[in-house]
Structure formats: structure tokens, C-alpha cells
């Protein structure tokens, strides 16, 4: 089954003080549109599914227990399931 979400149907959520739109979620992947603010600091956490991100504007740091990546606009990242990370 294909999961389709039109822009007006996206579910607006908030987690760790970060607003986001939940666009699609499946058993092995999740797509969200994150709305980070400069002061956001996300604690280490993990998800049961893979997540993929694309940076539209600004910069973020993606930190795992073994690596740190500073990402500029147009960069992408994809942490595997069950990896403790922050962004």
C-alpha cells in the first residue's frame, strides 16, 4: 500500500520543543518536515525506524555516540533504526 499525505493533511506535532509535520510513517521509515529553531537542543534518542532528513535552510549538527556531523543546506542524513542520536 502506498501512503500519500497531501500538504494540508500533514499532522502537526511537537517533540523535545521542536515543531514538525508528520508526512509519512511506515514500519521501516519515517518522513517529517522539521522546524528547528536556533535554540533547539534535542536529547539523545532513537526511533524504531530509519529516518531521512534533507536540510532546506540553516545548519544542524547530527550527533551520535560515535560521530558528529555539521550539515549545511542541501545536505542529507539517514540514521538507521535504533541508533541513539541528537540533531
Amino acid at each position: 500500500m502506498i501512503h500519500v499525505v497531501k500538504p494540508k493533511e500533514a499532522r502537526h506535532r511537537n517533540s523535545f520543543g521542536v515543531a514538525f509535520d508528520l508526512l509519512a510513517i511506515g514500519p521501516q521509515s519515517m518522513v517529517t518536515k522539521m522546524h528547528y529553531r536556533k535554540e533547539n537542543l534535542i536529547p539523545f534518542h532513537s526511533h524504531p525506524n530509519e529516518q531521512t532528513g534533507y536540510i532546506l535552510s540553516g545548519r544542524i549538527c547530527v550527533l551520535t555516540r560515535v560521530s558528529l556531523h555539521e550539515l549545511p543546506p542541501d545536505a542529507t542524513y539517514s540514521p538507521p533504526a535504533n541508533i541513539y542520536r541528537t540533531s
Side-chain angles (χ1 to χ4, degrees), residues 48-62:
N49 46 23
E50 181 177 75
Q51 294 188 317
T52 301
Y54 173 74
I55 314 304
L56 293 172
S57 65
R59 301 178 72 82
I60 68 166
C61 290
V62 177

Side-chain angles (χ1 to χ4, degrees), residues 63-80:
L63 175 66
T64 70
R65 301 234 186 252
V66 297
S67 66
L68 168 67
H69 302 277
E70 289 191 42
L71 305 176
D74 293 327
T76 60
Y77 61 98
S78 186

Side-chain angles (χ1 to χ4, degrees), residues 18-32:
V18 177
F20 66 94
D21 302 326
L22 181 56
L23 303 177
I25 189 166
Q28 297 179 13
S29 67
M30 180 177 184
V31 177
T32 59

